[in-house]
Amino acid sequence: MQEQESTRSGLLHAFVLDGLGGARAISREQLDDLQLEEQESLWLHWDRSHPLSQRWLRQQSGLSVFSCDLLLEENTRPRLLPLPDDQLLLFLRGINLNPDAEPEDMVSVRIFAQARRTISLRLRPLRATEELIVRLRNGTGPKTSSELILHLADYLTDRVDALIGNLSEQVDEQEEQLDVDERYMPNHDLMLQARRRAASLRRFLAPQRDIYAQLARNGFSWFVENDTANWNELNNSLTRYLEDLELIRERVGLVLESENRRMSEKMNRTMYRFSIITGFFLPMSFLTGLLGINVGGIPLSDSGYGFLIACTLMGGVATLQWWMFRRLRWI
């Protein structure tokens, strides 16, 4: 039913909040003649890509051209923009939990909010809105517009914890394998993916944390009393997530550095052994080359014991080399 409504008008959800934690759904046709009671507020959730959504926003929403342009902008980042008449624009990002999607390819929700009306727009499906609707139907949802945007931000932020925990476990596993087995080679692709995801998440979560801090410091007149503390708590949560992401990046760097160090040490040991072997056989190569010259005057060339004497001489040279290498602690 909701998908059919979206296909027809671009309106995904429309609810009138009753001020007690519940809400009633309304249709697109009821929206035009809607009259809100004193304690009620309106929440409209639109498909941003739908042409009828864009037309309603520009022609019937009552928003300024400037606000409409920002809400329909193709690419944007998390931001908070206060507007005249105690209104605000709020752009947030969340983990992408859609099928076959990369979690760090974050989804966004764009919100226009005032005392008794909230308009949200999305391009891809949001789990946050689905969970919020369930709470509204159970009578335990937000009571006002300020609580509505707070709940949306809370749901979007809460999903980050599981992804960061998964990244941390991947790094933990690689570190443990390195500690247990000196010959273990880390999963290079897995570590690079973890570092890329951490960097991508940090790119959007850092400005979102600043937004929460700003809302905690400078609320709007229609915010309820507890909102400041809740926004501050979201700010603290994102601060912790960002610290965890930074730690993951550093740990991945240490794992890759350990891999490079082990490869370098292995190469150095190989070259060291090769140098020892080369130095060991160099004098004997010189002697064999010298004795192999086909000219007159080669010592012991007419003696039947010449070969045995030459072998004994090279064995003595080898023994002397071995003794010298041991004295110098090269071997």
Side-chain angles (χ1 to χ4, degrees), residues 8 157 304:
R8 185 171 64 251
T157 304

Side-chain angles (χ1 to χ4, degrees), residues 131-174:
E131 295 179 357
L132 185 55
I133 290 170
V134 171
R135 294 196 60 179
L136 286 171
R137 288 173 175 168
N138 293 334
T140 59
K143 303 178 181 63
T144 63
S145 293
S146 65
E147 290 186 0
L148 176 65
I149 62 175
L150 178 61
H151 277 66
L152 280 173
D154 187 20
Y155 283 127
L156 291 172
T157 304
D158 185 58
R159 298 297 183 181
V160 179
D161 191 20
L163 179 57
I164 293 179
N166 184 40
L167 293 177
S168 182
E169 289 177 0
Q170 293 176 0
V171 180
D172 287 342
E173 182 180 354
Q174 297 298 311

Side-chain angles (χ1 to χ4, degrees), residues 14-177:
F15 287 94
V16 175
L17 279 62
D18 59 12
L20 300 174
R24 72 175 190 273
I26 61 174
S27 65
R28 173 66 181 84
E29 291 74 17
Q30 294 175 297
L31 181 60
D32 296 332
D33 300 324
L34 180 66
Q35 297 292 329
L36 295 175
E37 299 293 336
E38 182 179 356
Q39 77 280 5
E40 292 180 336
S41 54
L42 178 65
W43 174 35
L44 303 176
H45 188 54
W46 297 85
D47 180 358
R48 180 167 58 87
S49 64
H50 201 289
L52 293 180
S53 298
Q54 300 174 10
R55 182 185 305 173
W56 180 89
L57 193 67
R58 293 189 179 278
Q59 297 179 3
Q60 297 176 265
S61 66
L63 273 63
S64 66
V65 176
F66 173 73
S67 298
C68 293
D69 289 341
L70 290 182
L71 289 170
L72 298 175
E73 191 176 7
E74 186 64 27
N75 296 308
T76 187
R77 64 193 297 271
R79 63 184 301 189
L80 169 66
L81 181 63
L83 298 175
D85 300 325
D86 218 21
Q87 302 171 347
L88 68 86
L89 290 178
L90 180 63
F91 297 170
L92 300 176
R93 291 271 185 165
I95 300 299
N96 191 347
L97 299 177
N98 294 308
D100 301 324
E102 294 292 337
E104 68 272 16
D105 184 19
M106 305 185 77
V107 294
S108 66
V109 57
R110 306 177 184 188
I111 301 171
F112 167 85
Q114 55 187 163
R116 299 180 64 190
R117 183 174 64 155
T118 302
I119 301 173
S120 59
L121 298 95
R122 61 84 164 157
L123 185 61
R124 289 173 288 186
L126 292 171
R127 293 282 183 89
T129 57
E130 296 175 4
E131 295 179 357
L132 185 55
I133 290 170
V134 171
R135 294 196 60 179
L136 286 171
R137 288 173 175 168
N138 293 334
T140 59
K143 303 178 181 63
T144 63
S145 293
S146 65
E147 290 186 0
L148 176 65
I149 62 175
L150 178 61
H151 277 66
L152 280 173
D154 187 20
Y155 283 127
L156 291 172
T157 304
D158 185 58
R159 298 297 183 181
V160 179
D161 191 20
L163 179 57
I164 293 179
N166 184 40
L167 293 177
S168 182
E169 289 177 0
Q170 293 176 0
V171 180
D172 287 342
E173 182 180 354
Q174 297 298 311
E175 289 178 335
E176 290 176 1
Q177 291 289 345

Side-chain angles (χ1 to χ4, degrees), residues 263-277:
M263 292 180 64
S264 178
E265 291 176 353
K266 183 178 180 180
M267 179 64 68
N268 290 337
R269 286 195 300 267
T270 302
M271 295 300 298
Y272 175 76
R273 292 168 183 168
F274 181 75
S275 300
I276 292 296
I277 294 173

